[in-house]
Amino acid sequence: MSLAVLTSRALVGLAAPEVSVEVHLANGLPAFALVGLPDIEVREARDRVRAALQTSQFEFPQRRITVNLAPADLPKEGGCFDLAIALGILAASGQIPADALAQYEFSGELSLSGELRPVRGTLALARQAAESGRSLVLPSANAAEAALVNGVTILPAPNLLAVVAHLCRHTLLEPYTGAPLAPPPSYPDLADVKGQVQARRALEVAASGQHSLLFYGPPGTGKSMLAQRLPGLLPPLSDAEALETAAIHSVEGSFRPERWRQRPIRAPHHSASTAALVGGGGTPRPGEISLAHNGVLFLDELPEFDRRVLEALREPLESGHITISRAARRAEFPARFQLVAAMNPCPCGFHGHPDGRCRCTPEQIARYRGKLSGPLLDRIDLLLEVPMLPVADLQAAPAGEASAAVRERVARCRAIQLARQGKPNASLAGAEIEAWCQPDAAGGKLLQSAIERLGLSARGYHRILKVARTIADMGEAQAVGATHVAEAIQSRRGLA
């Protein structure tokens, strides 16, 4: 037989469309042509496959070899097609039987010695293989990750010889039966934070309603420490959330099975580019906001980020997803993250300090704060000052409440929201806000006064309502009262 057809898969965003690997052998001068819109990594498979077959003691056909990766208009990248190409050449040249190939999907990069190296995007491949009903043959190093998907038979193989032995029915590959690693999630404990009662309260409100949060204050007051403890206050990930989060990291190539069910926290440096934050590249890859999906995106030294980078956050903060478009490619990634940011009140960080150490001029302070646009600040639910504590108060302060106790309250509050409206309060919009967040008469009067005095926009008005609804839920109150509105207004007074 001079033609063999196998199934593999490409990666397009979080999807893994099917790719038919067609291998044809013809008479003529020896040549190896690879077609079907392959990128550089895929074209280099010719040399890897040739060396792997020869070192594994197979015959490399001295004929005209044509490999077609169909559909031809779908871009292919990475080394995941190496295994399918090698097996296709062996089947087309009659060295292995071709009748059983239709039962499997193949993915794996070959080393020159024939060993199988892990590939990225295994979760996406396994999810699609489960829908197709085929078994998935892949490198042993990817087996634990692929096993997170239910309903798919995983056949891990260490090398090309093991796959050939299975197809020839000499030594069958054993389906992977090991349980995926699932250690209990481990996060920094909120008990480490002493004092800062208001900041701790704001952190609990943010966790309870999935609200965005900005801490501002002098250096060393615990802003970063507080932000790093937010993931430990959030409810455990559901099965669907855990799988979706893991799939994003798998596509990016950074997933580890031991991180299963752990909420991500991403803290990019302020020198990060727009593409690094929102995603991009010739072949679109997820950025930091998608890698923080179902977790926390922490931006320290917020005004030090490039303004264009920060402005790119405005749409995903509202929509919960990001669409990356290029001339010939388009990919959509989820980006439902909690934004936690921290900043100093001025360039030196000590504006308003009692000892008067700040030497920044009003123009310098205005320029520093002006790096944050009004539309961006308008999209942040809670803006809270974290003051510097006197040393005596800090030493006398008892240990703070542990994350476990706060997490239980947060979980109860989230349960109330899900039972009432099916989503966290931060995700409410339009008519949902009118239906669930309207305050009583006293609260409405207080809110009207705040709108007039603070000059709030319609978006700011809605965000105060949603935060007030969360505060009411934390107290298990049916109605949003004046005290809830007052606390929500106080937590959104802006930068002093």
Side-chain angles (χ1 to χ4, degrees):
M1 181 178 182
S2 61
L3 177 67
V5 181
L6 301 86
T7 301
S8 187
R9 292 191 180 273
L11 287 175
V12 180
L14 292 183
E18 183 176 310
V19 173
S20 292
V21 180
E22 303 169 347
V23 181
H24 181 258
L25 304 185
N27 296 326
L29 293 175
F32 195 156
L34 192 56
V35 298
L37 209 58
D39 73 350
I40 294 176
E41 292 173 321
V42 179
R43 289 197 296 269
E44 291 175 344
R46 293 176 296 190
D47 298 316
R48 291 194 298 269
V49 167
R50 179 186 288 108
L53 289 176
Q54 291 174 343
T55 56
S56 299
Q57 304 301 310
F58 293 108
E59 177 191 354
F60 187 81
Q62 297 302 311
R63 302 173 66 183
R64 188 175 186 84
I65 304 173
T66 303
V67 177
N68 179 38
L69 305 177
D73 61 344
L74 178 68
K76 322 308 189 297
E77 65 164 353
C80 60
F81 302 105
D82 290 7
L83 178 59
I85 293 172
L87 294 174
I89 292 175
L90 293 177
S93 60
Q95 299 181 66
I96 63 172
D99 53 355
L101 295 178
Q103 306 173 25
Y104 307 100
E105 294 184 6
F106 302 93
S107 182
E109 178 184 333
L110 285 172
S111 70
L112 300 186
S113 63
E115 301 297 315
L116 284 176
R117 290 176 171 159
V119 295
R120 65 181 182 86
T122 304
L123 278 174
L125 303 177
R127 292 168 73 177
Q128 298 294 127
E131 295 178 5
S132 71
R134 303 186 189 96
S135 299
L136 179 59
V137 180
L138 79 178
S140 299
N142 289 125
E145 180 180 341
L148 299 175
V149 179
N150 295 323
V152 59
T153 301
I154 305 298
L155 298 176
N159 50 47
L160 176 62
L161 285 172
V163 179
V164 171
H166 175 81
L167 295 175
C168 293
R169 297 299 185 187
H170 293 159
T171 304
L172 298 182
L173 295 174
E174 294 293 333
Y176 185 81
T177 57
L181 298 176
S186 177
Y187 307 103
D189 202 314
L190 191 61
D192 300 334
V193 180
K194 291 186 176 182
Q196 301 297 5
V197 177
Q198 287 186 324
R200 292 169 60 97
R201 170 70 175 179
L203 204 63
E204 184 174 347
V205 172
S208 298
Q210 207 175 67
H211 299 291
S212 52
L213 174 64
L214 170 62
F215 288 129
Y216 64 94
T221 56
K223 302 185 295 296
S224 300
M225 192 176 186
L226 285 160
Q228 292 165 357
R229 278 145 182 79
L230 178 57
L233 307 184
L234 302 177
L237 289 170
S238 66
D239 290 342
E241 289 174 335
L243 190 57
E244 187 176 38
T245 302
I248 298 171
H249 288 258
S250 177
V251 167
E252 198 265 342
S254 62
F255 176 73
R256 301 292 179 270
E258 57 269 20
R259 298 178 188 171
W260 174 244
R261 290 192 179 279
Q262 290 195 5
R263 288 191 180 270
I265 177 168
R266 307 292 296 190
H269 190 261
H270 57 73
S271 62
S273 65
T274 303
L277 203 64
V278 304
T283 300
R285 296 279 188 92
E288 293 291 339
I289 63 173
S290 294
L291 296 172
H293 181 63
N294 290 325
V296 175
L297 177 68
F298 176 45
L299 301 183
D300 201 4
E301 306 295 343
L302 188 64
E304 300 299 336
F305 283 82
D306 186 272
R307 182 171 179 132
R308 290 173 297 179
V309 174
L310 295 179
E311 295 305 302
L313 292 174
R314 286 160 53 176
E315 180 187 349
L317 273 173
E318 293 283 345
S319 64
H321 67 271
I322 183 71
T323 301
I324 303 170
S325 299
R326 296 295 179 262
R329 307 185 188 186
R330 179 179 179 276
E332 183 173 309
F333 296 102
R336 182 68 66 184
F337 59 91
Q338 271 191 263
L339 174 65
V340 181
M343 63 176 288
N344 297 324
C346 67
C348 77
F350 294 101
H351 177 66
H353 197 276
D355 65 5
R357 72 175 69 176
C358 178
R359 295 295 183 265
C360 299
T361 65
E363 291 77 12
Q364 289 174 322
I365 296 175
R367 192 181 307 115
Y368 177 76
R369 297 183 180 181
K371 295 179 181 179
L372 306 179
S373 69
L376 176 63
L377 290 176
D378 218 23
R379 286 170 166 81
I380 299 179
D381 298 331
L382 303 166
L383 296 91
L384 190 80
E385 181 180 7
V386 184
M388 183 173 290
L389 296 178
V391 176
D393 293 350
L394 189 61
Q395 292 176 338
E401 189 177 18
S403 292
V406 179
R407 185 166 56 246
E408 290 181 4
R409 294 199 299 268
V410 169
R412 289 197 298 269
C413 186
R414 286 282 187 98
I416 292 172
Q417 297 166 39
L418 295 177
R420 182 179 60 233
Q421 69 235 2
K423 62 178 71 172
N425 289 331
S427 300
L428 296 176
E432 296 172 325
I433 298 176
E434 298 296 326
W436 305 114
C437 302
Q438 287 305 306
D440 58 18
K445 185 176 180 180
L446 179 60
L447 184 56
Q448 181 63 34
S449 175
I451 293 173
E452 295 172 355
R453 295 183 60 184
L454 301 178
L456 296 175
S457 66
R459 181 183 288 113
Y461 163 75
H462 283 154
R463 291 190 179 272
I464 285 179
L465 284 178
K466 290 190 284 187
V467 172
R469 178 70 267 180
T470 298
I471 295 170
D473 290 338
M474 292 171 65
E476 300 185 7
Q478 295 296 323
V480 178
T483 56
H484 308 133
V485 173
E487 185 177 352
I489 294 171
Q490 186 64 29
S491 65
R492 195 182 167 78
R493 293 293 300 273
L495 301 175

